[in-house]
Amino acid sequence: MSADDIRRLGAFLHRRTGMIFGEAKRYYIERRIADRMAATGMRTFNAYFAHIEADGVEVEQLINLFTVNETYFYREEHQLSCLSRSLLPEIVQGRKPGDLVRIWSVPCSTGEEPYSIAIWLLENWPMVDAYNIEIVGSDIDTQVLLDAQAGDYGERALSRLPSDAVERYFEPVHEGHRRLIQDLRESVKFTSANLVDSASVAAQGRFDVIFCRNVLIYFDDSSRLLAVDNLYDSLHPGGYICLGHTESMTRISKRFDLRRFEDAIVYQRPGRDRDG
């Protein structure tokens, strides 16, 4: 691929996903484009690029190849502790038993993070059965959503889970993997969402807590601000967002309040909106 080819593809992916791909990632890009050109029978990059501009299905396949899906159960466990110890008790104040509480994991990758939320609440929040807890996992990568729904995991993904939790919530080992029990698989709803597409995000509705970890670091400033504005609109007033440990909302937007809890620092949408 020429330098111009890299720029054209990078601009295309940026428009579609908000993520940045340029000359510094040439080897990463060329390997993935070669795979898709072979799969589609395209002999030149120009032919392939014309193909993706005309074929929405191939765009989906291409985006799936360029997304980052590294995760495991109980990742950044301190935030889960903050969820059960601090965030949910605040959220349910004034709500009645049976009221809806919505939690969003985006991007959810292969499901470990939203399923972790479900397991953590069952294990650590005594009020879990008192409310209607809806957990939604969303991602731009359609293949990982299928994997998430299957709920089949290897040893590495489960390595941070307590062994007794693994025994309670997973089927016996089969061919080196364990499948999440059906009740847990059905406890999370999986949807497709693109953080830089306002309509896609708005379609998910509003949430009380959002886990959006380790994705904004892949965006440029303009895409990052767009994504954060979309996330802000996805929170109920007073709702919370948890970012990855290397990410800081205060560097992106002044619309959120920083909240320091015993277990974690999180960001809150104020009860009254502000600009910035």
Side-chain angles (χ1 to χ4, degrees):
M1 294 175 66
S2 69
D4 185 59
D5 293 340
I6 296 289
R7 285 193 293 270
R8 288 167 65 201
L9 182 68
F12 180 86
L13 289 169
H14 179 258
R15 289 195 305 271
R16 295 301 184 107
T17 71
M19 294 184 290
I20 301 299
F21 295 95
E23 190 67 39
K25 297 182 178 178
R26 169 178 285 275
Y27 178 69
Y28 180 91
I29 292 168
E30 288 184 333
R31 285 185 60 193
R32 282 153 180 77
I33 291 300
D35 288 344
R36 291 313 306 162
M37 287 177 61
T40 56
M42 300 293 166
R43 292 183 173 272
T44 67
F45 174 76
N46 284 340
Y48 179 71
F49 194 78
H51 180 55
I52 61 173
E53 287 187 309
D55 188 334
V57 174
E58 181 56 28
V59 171
E60 182 177 296
Q61 294 296 321
L62 181 67
I63 289 173
N64 288 354
L65 277 183
F66 277 86
T67 51
V68 179
N69 299 307
E70 173 68 18
T71 189
Y72 46 84
F73 281 87
Y74 277 18
R75 187 178 190 180
E76 301 198 32
E77 185 177 323
H78 63 285
Q79 289 185 345
L80 297 173
S81 181
C82 185
L83 176 68
S84 59
R85 193 197 311 245
S86 302
L87 305 187
L88 288 176
E90 278 199 10
I91 287 166
V92 300
Q93 284 182 4
R95 298 195 187 182
K96 302 184 300 295
D99 280 354
L100 180 64
V101 176
R102 302 191 77 219
I103 302 172
W104 194 22
S105 172
V106 56
C108 69
S109 187
T110 44
E112 288 93 331
E113 294 195 24
Y115 287 138
S116 289
I117 294 168
I119 292 172
W120 182 271
L121 295 184
L122 288 170
E123 292 289 294
N124 296 282
W125 195 42
M127 301 299 292
V128 64
D129 292 326
Y131 298 92
N132 178 13
I133 308 294
E134 181 180 0
I135 301 172
V136 179
S138 301
D139 207 286
I140 194 173
D141 186 330
T142 53
Q143 181 56 53
V144 299
L145 291 173
L146 294 175
D147 294 340
Q149 290 171 321
D152 192 31
Y153 299 100
E155 181 178 346
R156 184 180 181 280
L158 302 174
S159 61
R160 298 288 187 91
L161 275 178
S163 57
D164 57 340
V166 173
E167 294 303 319
R168 272 195 295 277
Y169 300 115
F170 290 82
E171 296 173 359
V173 177
H174 177 69
E175 296 182 352
H177 286 71
R178 300 190 72 145
R179 192 180 193 197
L180 201 68
I181 61 173
Q182 183 174 349
D183 284 351
L184 263 293
R185 296 198 309 272
E186 293 176 352
S187 71
V188 177
K189 174 185 176 182
F190 289 100
T191 67
S192 177
N194 182 345
L195 286 176
V196 296
D197 181 347
S198 300
S200 169
V201 174
Q204 313 305 319
R206 281 192 170 182
F207 296 87
D208 297 291
V209 182
I210 297 175
F211 287 82
C212 181
R213 306 191 289 200
N214 307 307
V215 64
L216 297 178
I217 55 176
Y218 296 102
F219 293 176
D220 67 357
D221 289 344
S222 60
S223 297
R224 193 177 295 120
L225 183 58
L226 174 58
V228 164
D229 283 342
N230 289 336
L231 290 167
Y232 183 95
D233 292 338
S234 295
L235 280 172
H236 290 297
Y240 296 96
I241 184 167
C242 301
L243 301 181
H245 71 278
T246 63
E247 300 169 309
S248 171
M249 185 66 76
T250 56
R251 299 173 187 168
I252 306 170
S253 172
K254 297 178 180 178
R255 302 180 76 185
F256 294 83
D257 291 332
L258 185 149
R259 295 289 306 276
R260 297 179 185 273
F261 291 101
E262 181 178 352
D263 299 292
I265 294 174
V266 303
Y267 301 91
Q268 184 176 28
R269 173 174 171 166
R272 296 176 62 184
D273 290 347
R274 64 170 70 105
D275 295 328

